């Protein structure tokens, strides 16, 4: 059974940093691209970032480019999202999601999400 | 950026009735279109990929159709567990984009 378990969320002040982690199990983690999708309170889904299977390439939404960094450690079956210069508008539940191929595809499995609250 | 527009925003349907949800892309995404279901407090769940392929374990009452810029998700006979928010997503181009969602509520 595929499982994705996020951790690292919490309350942070504007301008602060936070690192999210996502531990994958039940599949060969190193064979799939992964991504992060967020959802602000009461709002829709918003793609944040994605990374290919070997970590060699990543893409970002414009609103996080230069502030967030996605990475992965395939030896630990773990995906990361380093979030710097956080803004109030970054407040959201952040979902880790598995893509269906090495560098492409939709999201076939999702974690339960990690809440990030940016507030003074 | 490809803008995904879903309509209607809210759909009121009685149990047992048919529901038809629409998703329009601002430019061609061929058939690189997925549909997700989300219930309150839960993560999204994949329903359909490739515009028309049901994901594993998804009941046959869910069907997807369309290509290029016009897509439809049909729920043939709504069950109580189908009342939720539905999102379309294109994965043809960067950035990946989602529609704003359609909430299917009990009439």
């Amino acid at each position: 059974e595929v499982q994705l378990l996020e951790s690292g969320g919490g309350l942070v002040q504007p301008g602060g940093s936070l690192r999210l982690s996502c531990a994958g199990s039940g599949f060969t983690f190193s064979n799939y691209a992964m991504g992060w999708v967020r959802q602000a309170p009461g709002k829709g889904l918003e793609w944040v970032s994605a990374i290919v299977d070997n970590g060699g390439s990543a893409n970002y939404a414009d609103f996080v480019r230069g502030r967030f960094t996605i990475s992965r450690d395939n030896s630990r079956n773990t995906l990361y999202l380093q979030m710097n210069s956080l803004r109030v508008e970054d407040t959201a539940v952040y979902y880790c999601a598995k893509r269906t191929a090495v560098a492409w595809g939709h999201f076939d499995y999702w974690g339960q999400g990690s809440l990030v609250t940016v507030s003074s | 950026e490809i803008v995904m527009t879903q309509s209607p925003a809210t759909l009121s349907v009685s149990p047992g009735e048919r529901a038809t949800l629409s998703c329009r892309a601002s430019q061609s995404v061929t058939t690189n279109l997925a549909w997700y279901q989300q219930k309150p407090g839960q993560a999204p769940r994949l329903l359909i990929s490739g515009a028309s392929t049901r994901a594993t374990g998804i009941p046959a009452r869910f069907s997807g159709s369309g290509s290029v810029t016009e897509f439809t998700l049909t729920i043939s006979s709504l069950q109580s567990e189908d009342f939720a928010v539905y999102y379309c997503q294109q994965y043809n181009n960067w950035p990946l984009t989602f529609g704003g969602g359609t909430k299917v509520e009990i009439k």
Side-chain angles (χ1 to χ4, degrees):
Chain A
E1 179 192 5
V2 172
Q3 291 193 334
L4 297 169
L5 184 60
E6 299 98 336
S7 60
L11 175 64
V12 62
Q13 292 187 337
S17 298
L18 213 54
R19 188 177 82 156
L20 301 182
S21 299
C22 170
S25 62
F27 65 105
T28 305
F29 186 81
S30 59
N31 284 359
Y32 295 94
M34 299 290 295
W36 292 95
V37 176
R38 73 183 186 183
Q39 187 169 37
K43 302 297 185 183
L45 300 173
E46 190 172 50
W47 171 73
V48 173
S49 183
I51 188 168
V52 300
D53 61 331
N54 63 7
S57 177
N59 290 83
Y60 298 91
D62 284 346
F63 53 81
V64 303
R65 188 174 289 113
R67 300 188 299 125
F68 290 13
T69 303
I70 191 172
S71 62
R72 63 192 296 163
D73 184 342
N74 286 344
S75 68
R76 297 177 183 270
N77 292 344
T78 302
L79 176 73
Y80 303 100
L81 186 67
Q82 177 67 44
M83 302 183 293
N84 299 331
S85 302
L86 281 160
R87 305 167 179 166
V88 171
E89 55 266 33
D90 293 320
T91 294
V93 173
Y94 285 74
Y95 293 103
C96 160
K98 170 186 168 293
R99 300 190 78 182
T100 54
V102 296
W104 189 76
H106 55 282
F107 298 109
D108 57 355
Y109 291 94
W110 298 63
Q112 281 306 298
S114 183
L115 177 62
V116 172
T117 302
V118 185
S119 175
S120 55
Chain B
E1 172 176 325
I2 298 177
V3 177
M4 307 300 292
T5 303
Q6 290 187 242
S7 61
T10 303
L11 187 60
S12 297
V13 186
S14 299
E17 289 188 342
R18 183 186 193 90
T20 303
L21 289 66
S22 295
C23 175
R24 173 176 292 178
S26 61
Q27 64 189 77
S28 176
V29 299
T30 64
T31 55
N32 294 320
L33 189 284
W35 289 94
Y36 303 91
Q37 176 194 66
Q38 188 179 35
K39 297 178 181 179
Q42 296 185 16
R45 178 176 72 146
L46 175 67
L47 296 176
I48 301 282
S49 63
S52 61
T53 302
R54 274 191 306 277
T56 303
I58 301 304
R61 63 181 181 272
F62 291 91
S63 63
S65 64
S67 65
V68 187
T69 61
E70 300 284 341
F71 302 89
T72 300
L73 175 69
T74 301
I75 311 171
S76 59
S77 177
L78 270 157
Q79 306 298 303
S80 58
E81 61 267 30
D82 300 335
F83 292 96
V85 180
Y86 293 83
Y87 295 95
C88 62
Q89 180 231 334
Q90 68 81 19
Y91 49 97
N92 196 64
N93 288 74
W94 300 106
L96 307 181
T97 47
F98 290 87
T102 292
K103 181 180 181 180
V104 177
E105 64 176 25
I106 300 175
K107 186 174 181 180

